[in-house]
Amino acid sequence: MTTSAGRDHRPLKLVAGTDVEVVRWTSPAGNGECTVVWLPTDRLDTQVASTEVTTGERQRAARYAHESDRLMSLGSAWLTRRLVANLLDVAPLQAPIVRDCDRCDKPHGRPVVGAATKDGTTIQVSATHSGRLVGVALSTSAAVGVDVEDLQGRGPHVWPTVWRVLGHHPVPEDPEAGPEAARTAATAWVRTEAVLKATGQGLAVSSRTVDISTEEEPRVIRWPWGDPTGRVSLFDLNPGRRYVAALAVIHEGRNDFTGSHHM
């Protein structure tokens, strides 16, 4: 399996102020491509965004106590709508995006696009945000999951806890070991979260059931759905110096992950 990733500034009729990463792959399921769009919240035009999201999306953003969280919520909803609308050639408010939670009746969770492109292709979307950055992954090739973490938004005491949540024993680094130790832990975290998002299971599955490589080449070592070889690809992204991010691509349908996930 060969993979490639990198910056690609060909706009996809995108949004002013965004940065674009295009990830391409070759898998047993064929060639594919995913566009990841990054939007710093200080570039978000809140007046425009507020007119192009639904009432529910505005209300959800307004419920956050901190301005930074309100901007991330609004920015994520708006960027997702704008990108899907571009693919479907409709206005952002007409983009048929649904966020349903499997554990409650609130309108949150992964975005699902309820319409196909003109050639009948399904649109797969994943959204993430951290610190002052919003990211949206968009693909018509495969199910995708994206996750980002702001390294400057966490103190050094957080990273040993991250290792424990991931089920990594013993904790591999001294909590005072410095920025490289923090980056290693954060990278393991976003790789794991990206995989769980791509399966469509998200928080319904414990991160301890997924083993991800922590070295330079990202890969899934073990997960609850049998042998991951050839079924999932994992990429590190480059959203900026203060962030780490990862993209996971599932080379089969999400329905294959809805059964038992206990090991």
Side-chain angles (χ1 to χ4, degrees):
M1 180 184 302
T2 59
T3 59
S4 62
R7 291 279 178 176
D8 188 334
H9 292 286
R10 295 173 303 148
L12 199 168
K13 285 199 298 183
L14 291 174
V15 189
T18 61
D19 298 315
V20 181
E21 273 188 280
V22 175
V23 178
R24 299 181 180 89
W25 62 84
T26 297
S27 78
N31 296 334
E33 179 176 296
C34 178
T35 300
V36 183
V37 183
W38 299 109
L39 173 65
T41 55
D42 59 4
R43 300 181 193 170
L44 175 65
D45 188 327
T46 56
Q47 289 186 328
V48 171
S50 294
T51 65
E52 294 186 346
V53 299
T54 66
T55 300
E57 289 165 339
R58 286 196 304 274
Q59 291 174 342
R60 184 169 66 246
R63 281 194 290 267
Y64 286 98
H66 299 290
E67 175 68 11
S68 59
D69 293 329
R70 291 194 292 270
L71 287 174
M72 285 192 293
S73 179
L74 177 64
S76 178
W78 175 68
L79 185 59
T80 302
R81 284 198 165 276
R82 176 62 72 91
L83 295 174
V84 171
N86 285 343
L87 274 182
L88 295 177
D89 196 23
V90 298
L93 277 172
Q94 294 177 320
I97 298 171
V98 177
R99 291 175 182 264
D100 289 330
C101 178
D102 295 332
R103 296 175 300 281
C104 69
D105 59 357
K106 295 182 180 179
H108 61 85
R110 65 182 179 91
V112 176
V113 181
T117 62
K118 291 179 179 178
D119 62 1
T121 304
T122 300
I123 301 171
Q124 303 282 1
V125 184
S126 182
T128 185
H129 53 71
S130 183
R132 301 174 183 174
L133 188 67
V134 169
V136 175
L138 193 76
S139 177
T140 56
S141 302
V144 293
V146 66
D147 198 63
V148 66
E149 183 67 41
D150 177 11
L151 291 170
Q152 296 182 18
R154 312 285 186 182
H157 62 284
V158 168
W159 303 112
T161 302
V162 167
W163 285 120
R164 293 187 185 96
V165 170
L166 293 176
H168 199 296
H169 300 286
V171 175
E173 294 286 353
D174 186 296
E176 304 299 329
E180 285 309 310
R183 181 172 290 274
T184 299
T187 297
W189 178 260
V190 297
R191 288 176 179 178
T192 303
E193 289 297 294
V195 169
L196 292 177
K197 285 184 175 183
T199 65
Q201 295 297 296
L203 294 176
V205 176
S206 170
S207 57
R208 290 172 178 258
T209 66
V210 179
D211 285 340
I212 302 293
S213 64
T214 57
E215 56 268 9
E216 184 174 341
E217 181 182 355
R219 62 189 178 90
V220 179
I221 301 169
R222 176 185 64 95
W223 65 356
W225 302 284
D227 184 359
T229 305
R231 300 173 64 194
V232 56
S233 296
L234 195 54
F235 304 88
D236 287 335
L237 300 175
N238 181 30
R241 292 181 60 185
R242 66 181 282 175
Y243 298 96
V244 293
L247 175 78
V249 178
I250 302 295
H251 305 301
E252 54 195 64
R254 288 184 189 265
N255 290 337
D256 296 317
F257 302 93
T258 57
S260 174
H261 49 257
H262 300 289
M263 299 194 69

